[in-house]
Amino acid sequence: MRIHSVELIPLRLPLVTPWHTIGGELNDRDVLLVHIETDGADGWGECAAFSTPFYSPEFVESALIVLRDRLAPLLTAASAVTSSGLSELFAPVAGHRMAKSALEMAVLDAELRTEGRSFAEFLGSERTVVPAGVAVGFQDSPSALVDAVAGYAAAGYRRVKLKVEQGRDLDHIEAVREQFPALSLQVDANGAYGRDDLGHLARFDGFGLSLIEQPLDAEDLVGHAAVAERLATPICLDESLVSLHSVETALALGACDVVNLKPGRVGGYHEAKRIHDWCVERSIPLWCGGMLETGLARAANIALASLPGFTLTGDLSGSDRFFRDDIITEPITVVNGELAVPTGAGFGVELDLDAIKHHRLG
Ligand code: NPG
């Protein structure tokens, strides 16, 4: 297919409640959308980067520059583009995986809409629903955390992930576990601990957690191997895994037992599918991570998570978890603890152009 134009649309979407995380508090989700016009259907993509580089080196403005000045020109200059050929087309640009993933999404959406196929069908998925899981940000006290978890449990969420760091961990997890003895519970440290904290982390083993996510720095695979050796609770990596190669390396070193797969972080859905297939062959449990996506990437992630290798519940919640006013026309809703896999062409959601106009930055 030929790409006629690439439009970059920065948005600021207010969050339903502030999100307290490593490195601060978010009141809004700044997000960059990509809209392409082709000789077939239009396509839409979404960049996972946040407004500041607190989670990964990329951020909205860096992605905007890379997309505008580096990636989009490669795309519009090519005489024939396929989503599966983009990693080669984008090879002159090192890194910037979230920016690349946003453009890949738009091309994939356009391809599938042109063919009238859904993303789930393209992936070869057979499930019609996936379980809904929720991530809960830091709360001021264990009791506030228990209240927040109670709300999500009542809304039907099948598993809950808590953020943890030194000083906001043992008593917070304990309070939730005491109140919800049977809840499927996991924790995410976003690299908040160090190699000296192994003894402290070992105390997490008493809470019946399904996993501990990214306890140490993203680059410290050797340290993670030591944590995995010491703890009975499975270790999952997030920030450390940026490609199939890094997944292979982490597994080879014994740095993790479980993979959190985020398409934006690994450069797109094609690489995500390769990682999925590699993990399935080796029986490595996978789940789909979340980046406070709008309904667009959320819909795509739900389809991805319907593949058989996703044996654990992901950070996949309804639109109302984060946004009062999402940018898709039909919100994504949790029904009986599950989310429906979209069946429409492309990612299967329609963009609300008025909402996009309303929230557009600049
Ligand atoms: O459900 O979309 C969601 C959010 C899940 O916690 C979540 N994402 O580290 O996995 C993470 C995390 C995150 C949130 C990272 C905000 C960075 C910023």
Side-chain angles (χ1 to χ4, degrees), residues 19 21 26 50 54-55 135 161 163 188 190 213 238-239 260 262 290-293 298 315-317 322:
W19 173 260
T21 188
L26 292 177
F50 290 94
F54 69 93
Y55 167 85
K161 157 170 145 177
K163 292 284 174 178
D188 181 9
N190 288 106
E213 187 181 350
D238 171 13
E239 286 92 326
N260 168 342
K262 288 180 180 169
M291 291 287 281
L292 284 76
E293 287 87 358
R298 192 168 297 275
D315 281 341
L316 295 167
S317 45
F322 295 112

Side-chain angles (χ1 to χ4, degrees), residues 110-168:
E111 262 171 11
L112 293 171
R113 282 176 186 270
T114 304
E115 294 167 15
R117 278 209 295 168
S118 73
F119 185 41
E121 198 184 328
F122 164 82
L123 289 168
S125 141
E126 285 170 5
R127 280 149 80 184
T128 56
V129 290
V130 299
V134 67
V136 186
F138 288 118
Q139 306 291 318
D140 291 337
S141 64
S143 70
L145 182 61
V146 169
D147 289 348
V149 170
Y152 292 118
Y157 283 98
R158 298 280 177 91
R159 78 98 171 100
V160 171
K161 157 170 145 177
L162 310 177
K163 292 284 174 178
V164 288
E165 64 180 358
Q166 284 282 12
R168 283 197 286 196

Side-chain angles (χ1 to χ4, degrees), residues 175-185 207-208:
V176 172
R177 182 47 91 210
E178 217 172 88
Q179 202 64 32
F180 302 96
L183 180 69
S184 167
L185 193 62
F207 299 121

